[in-house]
Amino acid sequence: MKEEAQYRCPWLDTTKPDYVEYHDHEWGVPVYDDQLLFEFLTLESAQAGLSWYTILKKRENYKNAFANFDVNKVAAFTEHDIEKLMQNAGIVRNRLKIVATINNAKCFITIQEEFGSFSDYQWRFVGNKPQVNDLETLADYPAVTEASTLFAKDLKKRGFKFLGPTTVYAYMQACGMVNDHSNNCFRKEEVKKLG
């Protein structure tokens, strides 16, 4: 029996099976686990100026390069670690982004100490529940919102780097702070139930 075609978000390149897998199982699912949040934060900041798919293809390499996204280990990286990362062809070898990841790990830990978890801190920006957006077409997708602007501003004040309002909005979409599946995407209602 032929599988029924499912409609997916208009931004998704359905010719890339790994991209479809990410969309169908991860994108927009609410995340409350700090280690996974640090992973998404790291990957989104690495993505600045590049396509998300470029980073998605390198995700496993990032996991290996950045101590499985153990925030305490990354925060302890030294100049020697930075030099090793600069030789790692499996990640984006941008010194500023690498240094920013280590810096962001330290800032992340400070937030954990202040709020109990990074999750508790970040979910305040959407009133502690996923915001569901009304999206029909690609043109309906915002690049920045009031919440992402406030969140980015607060992160910057706390010392984070490479996390402007646009990058932060992409992060909010990825970790389910907003449900930005299009209205006719089969994941819209499934993800809604998870929130």
Side-chain angles (χ1 to χ4, degrees), residues 43-57:
L43 296 173
E44 290 294 351
S45 68
Q47 186 251 325
L50 303 166
S51 81
W52 172 245
Y53 188 65
T54 300
I55 301 301
L56 188 62
K57 286 188 301 186

Side-chain angles (χ1 to χ4, degrees), residues 29-42 108 111-112 115-131 147-148 150-152 154-155 158 160 163 168 171-178:
V29 172
V31 176
Y32 302 94
D33 174 75
D34 274 14
Q35 187 165 353
L36 190 52
L37 291 174
F38 180 64
E39 176 176 348
F40 277 131
L41 208 61
T42 299
F108 193 97
I111 284 177
Q112 286 178 317
F115 292 88
S117 71
F118 191 85
S119 175
D120 285 350
Y121 159 75
Q122 78 166 36
W123 279 94
R124 298 171 323 127
F125 290 96
V126 289
N128 294 310
K129 67 177 198 288
Q131 304 298 292
S148 78
L150 287 170
F151 190 2
D154 199 65
L155 288 170
R158 293 170 182 276
F160 284 80
L163 289 165
V168 167
Y171 168 77
M172 291 170 72
Q173 290 174 311
C175 67
M177 291 173 77
V178 291

Side-chain angles (χ1 to χ4, degrees), residues 64-77:
N64 295 329
F66 288 96
N68 202 30
F69 299 107
D70 180 319
V71 71
N72 293 298
K73 287 180 180 171
V74 175
F77 277 15

